[in-house]
Amino acid sequence: MNPEKSTCPSREHLCSVAGARASRLADQEIPSLLIPFRGEFPLLDPTEMAEFRRVIREKQWIEELPPKFRYAADEGSRMACLIERFAAFLRAHDVSDCELETAPGAEKNRWLRSWIEAEGIDEEEFEVKRFREGFVPVRSRLTDLRLSSDERLALCSEVIARRAYWDDLSPDFGTIEWARKLLNLALYDHYGGDLTELLARYRAAHPDYADRIPVVLILYIDYLRTGRVNSIVGCALRSRARLSEKRLIETLTEELRKRLKPVYCTNDDENPAWTIIIDSRSDEELFELASSFDDTKQGRDFLAFGTTKPAARTSRKRKR
């Protein structure tokens, strides 16, 4: 597909849009009689469809879905969009997609090739990757390399600039798993985003809840370093009375950059995805490490910043 033709409006991330599209295809062993999709079908077992439809009715964004349902919504919606585009192309040439489904294979292939050439479709679009627990789907819109830098940033910003990410007292805060939130925050930075600017916009849009931002920043740093919240790390950060929100943002950003890692899973070819490394340390282990410093202040800095001194801010140019 030509990059200039690739659009990803915000409504495409809604469960009511992407989930509804996917629900028509997710349990189909042959998703289309016109487009030769390649992969393992169905995306979901028929016994999972009732739960899938229930969950997409309850959630607003596909990012909030359980991993397998998020995969089915993303890939199913993508296939449905391709089918709709091909049908529109056929209608523009006075051809019925329903009639073409029963036409000889050669006729189907002729129209398929005409559409591919006319719209510059990349046939890799017909490849549907297998679901793997814990990986960000390679076709996820947040990691789609066909999108411009501005499109990726806009999507990441839309996903994370919500109370579900920055208000720990909101009922929505617990609807997204910690690892997923931290991965999306890391990708936002990776694509050139600035958390300080994003949080300034969030604060302006949600002034009544902005006081929770420093609290949540500490929770994120705490979870990255220990795999839980309210550990000795969080206590050390909260005890630093002069620790500004700016310093907390810088510390979180440094942690995210160190921990965002590319992963590769092989399915005839390399299938890149991203993961975020989260430590698992007990309070006892951390206290023992902090006590090993000769200087008490160094031990406190180790607990608060993960180093013997506060993390220095570094700049990152936006990736194109």
Side-chain angles (χ1 to χ4, degrees):
M1 185 186 301
N2 291 335
E4 62 271 15
K5 292 185 180 181
S6 177
T7 59
C8 194
S10 59
R11 67 188 304 271
E12 298 298 323
H13 247 229
L14 292 169
C15 283
S16 58
V17 176
R21 282 195 189 122
S23 64
R24 302 195 300 266
L25 300 175
D27 62 344
Q28 299 297 306
E29 293 188 2
I30 302 177
S32 172
L33 295 176
L34 295 178
I35 297 178
F37 291 112
R38 301 181 295 275
E40 292 186 355
F41 304 111
L43 300 177
L44 295 175
D45 190 273
T47 60
E48 298 175 294
M49 289 304 297
E51 178 68 8
F52 176 71
R53 292 189 175 98
R54 183 190 68 79
V55 172
I56 64 175
R57 284 196 302 268
E58 294 179 353
K59 303 296 185 181
Q60 181 177 8
W61 305 95
I62 62 173
E63 282 288 321
E64 298 169 1
L65 297 175
K68 189 173 183 181
F69 286 173
R70 183 173 64 245
Y71 156 82
D74 188 77
E75 289 291 80
S77 177
R78 186 178 66 81
M79 288 193 295
C81 286
L82 286 169
I83 292 170
E84 291 169 8
R85 287 177 60 189
F86 189 24
F89 173 82
L90 293 172
R91 288 194 299 271
H93 291 80
D94 298 323
V95 176
S96 167
D97 55 321
C98 293
E99 292 180 2
L100 188 60
E101 286 181 352
T102 59
E107 182 71 1
K108 290 182 183 180
N109 188 61
R110 182 174 71 83
W111 281 106
L112 180 68
R113 302 309 306 177
S114 295
W115 173 55
I116 289 173
E117 293 171 5
E119 297 196 9
I121 304 296
D122 187 340
E123 291 191 54
E124 288 187 3
E125 285 290 301
F126 305 156
E127 184 78 21
V128 179
K129 300 299 183 182
R130 278 187 288 178
F131 170 73
R132 287 173 172 79
E133 188 75 38
F135 286 169
V136 176
V138 69
R139 299 290 186 177
S140 169
R141 291 178 174 86
L142 292 182
T143 56
D144 192 339
L145 297 179
R146 297 165 304 162
L147 299 181
S148 69
S149 176
D150 288 340
E151 286 175 314
R152 291 198 301 270
L153 274 177
L155 280 176
C156 287
S157 176
E158 181 180 334
V159 167
I160 67 179
R162 298 183 287 139
R163 290 182 64 195
Y165 275 72
W166 301 108
D167 181 5
D168 60 314
L169 300 182
S170 167
D172 295 331
F173 190 80
T175 61
I176 308 174
E177 59 192 22
W178 286 94
R180 169 59 52 177
K181 290 181 182 179
L182 292 164
L183 177 57
N184 287 341
L185 290 170
L187 287 173
Y188 177 73
D189 173 74
H190 177 73
Y191 292 142
D194 187 322
L195 271 182
T196 301
E197 294 178 1
L198 181 137
L199 288 174
R201 294 196 300 272
Y202 173 85
R203 188 185 300 276
H206 304 282
D208 294 339
Y209 312 111
D211 62 316
R212 305 308 300 175
I213 292 175
V215 176
V216 174
L217 287 168
I218 290 174
L219 292 177
Y220 284 148
I221 296 168
D222 197 358
Y223 196 91
L224 280 170
R225 293 181 182 161
T226 67
R228 53 202 166 88
V229 294
N230 298 321
S231 76
I232 192 173
V233 169
C235 292
L237 286 166
R238 282 188 289 272
S239 69
R240 300 292 292 259
R242 292 178 295 174
L243 199 62
S244 66
E245 182 177 307
K246 177 175 178 287
R247 175 60 59 79
L248 287 172
I249 292 173
E250 291 171 355
T251 302
L252 176 60
T253 299
E254 289 299 320
E255 290 286 346
L256 292 170
R257 290 179 182 177
K258 288 190 299 184
R259 297 166 183 276
L260 180 67
K261 303 293 182 182
V263 294
Y264 296 91
C265 44
T266 302
N267 179 21
D268 297 328
D269 58 358
E270 287 187 328
N271 181 8
W274 294 97
T275 192
I276 189 83
I277 304 300
I278 297 174
D279 290 341
S280 178
R281 287 182 170 180
S282 66
D283 282 353
E284 292 76 13
E285 180 184 357
L286 289 165
F287 184 77
E288 183 177 349
L289 289 170
S291 301
S292 66
F293 291 96
D294 294 331
D295 188 289
T296 303
K297 182 179 181 300
Q298 285 186 328
R300 289 198 302 267
D301 283 343
F302 166 76
L303 290 175
F305 301 103
T307 63
T308 56
K309 61 181 180 178
R313 179 166 183 162
T314 58
S315 61
R316 171 169 293 189
K317 294 183 180 179
R318 179 176 294 183
K319 295 192 174 185
R320 295 290 175 183

